[in-house]
Amino acid sequence: MKGLIYKDITIFFKSIDRKLVLIAAGAITLLMVNTGVYAGLLASVMLAMTIGMQNIMSFASDEKAGWKKYQLAMPVNAVSAVTGKYISVICTLAVSLVGSILFNILSSVAFRQFDPTVWGVSVATSVIVPLLWTGICLPLTYWFGFRSAQTMGLLVVIPMFYFVKYFEDGAGFSAMTDSILSYVAVAGIGVIVLFIISMIISMAGYNRKK
């Protein structure tokens, strides 16, 4: 299974879409300039969305290369094959986490203000969003193919976009108290449960296509 995880992580980095990177970089730059002390949070959300999208796009490489027929010839069962894919997603969270920390450091230095609540929500978001994205889209990939997952991934962008616009355009985060961290904790637990259920559904989809 280690080899499969290494393959998936390698594909994740090698299949990075330059256009996606440019769009994300431009959006993050605008957020950092225009949103003041919340720049680190919003940039973290944007990066997390990008990581989620890139994970789904990298899975398309397997489908295009017809990897499934080679994998079936290997001494790897459905549990190992699917679990390896999900572990590779968890490994890519390091990119999202490190990016979130760097964005918040830049924001804190630039605006000379350190808000632990903003930092906490930023870090939590950098983990929750990619897990949510892949937790929804991976079962679709195993059951119906990459195209259906790609379509659903685009739909997930919509609530994420409005989340960013809420903080950018209104009072947003400044109107909330530290209690928001409790909601983030609940959301985190919910996403972990979703991720586990997603893996089970994906295993069933993998077996169905044997």
Side-chain angles (χ1 to χ4, degrees), residues 83-147:
T83 301
K85 183 76 73 175
Y86 277 75
I87 290 176
S88 73
V89 170
I90 294 173
C91 290
T92 61
L93 293 180
V95 179
S96 189
L97 276 169
V98 171
S100 177
I101 292 171
L102 291 176
F103 289 141
N104 278 283
I105 289 174
L106 288 173
S107 178
S108 296
V109 171
F111 299 102
R112 298 179 182 180
Q113 181 174 341
F114 174 80
D115 189 327
T117 302
V118 172
W119 272 71
V121 175
S122 297
V123 171
T125 300
S126 70
V127 174
I128 290 173
V129 171
L131 290 182
L132 175 63
W133 211 300
T134 51
I136 293 173
C137 293
L138 261 180
L140 293 173
T141 300
Y142 281 107
W143 278 85
F144 308 110
F146 165 70
R147 294 300 176 188

Side-chain angles (χ1 to χ4, degrees), residues 21-121:
V21 172
L22 289 174
I23 293 172
I28 289 172
T29 299
L30 288 173
L31 289 172
M32 294 291 289
V33 171
N34 296 324
T35 54
V37 295
Y38 308 113
L41 168 62
L42 298 176
S44 296
V45 173
M46 185 61 65
L47 177 61
M49 291 169 61
T50 305
I51 296 297
M53 284 189 284
Q54 182 56 40
N55 267 312
I56 299 305
M57 292 173 68
S58 67
F59 298 147
S61 300
D62 281 356
E63 195 164 307
K64 290 177 181 178
W67 169 253
K68 181 68 180 289
K69 64 181 180 181
Y70 296 106
Q71 187 164 283
L72 289 174
M74 299 169 62
V76 178
N77 57 28
V79 174
S80 297
V82 175
T83 301
K85 183 76 73 175
Y86 277 75
I87 290 176
S88 73
V89 170
I90 294 173
C91 290
T92 61
L93 293 180
V95 179
S96 189
L97 276 169
V98 171
S100 177
I101 292 171
L102 291 176
F103 289 141
N104 278 283
I105 289 174
L106 288 173
S107 178
S108 296
V109 171
F111 299 102
R112 298 179 182 180
Q113 181 174 341
F114 174 80
D115 189 327
T117 302
V118 172
W119 272 71
V121 175

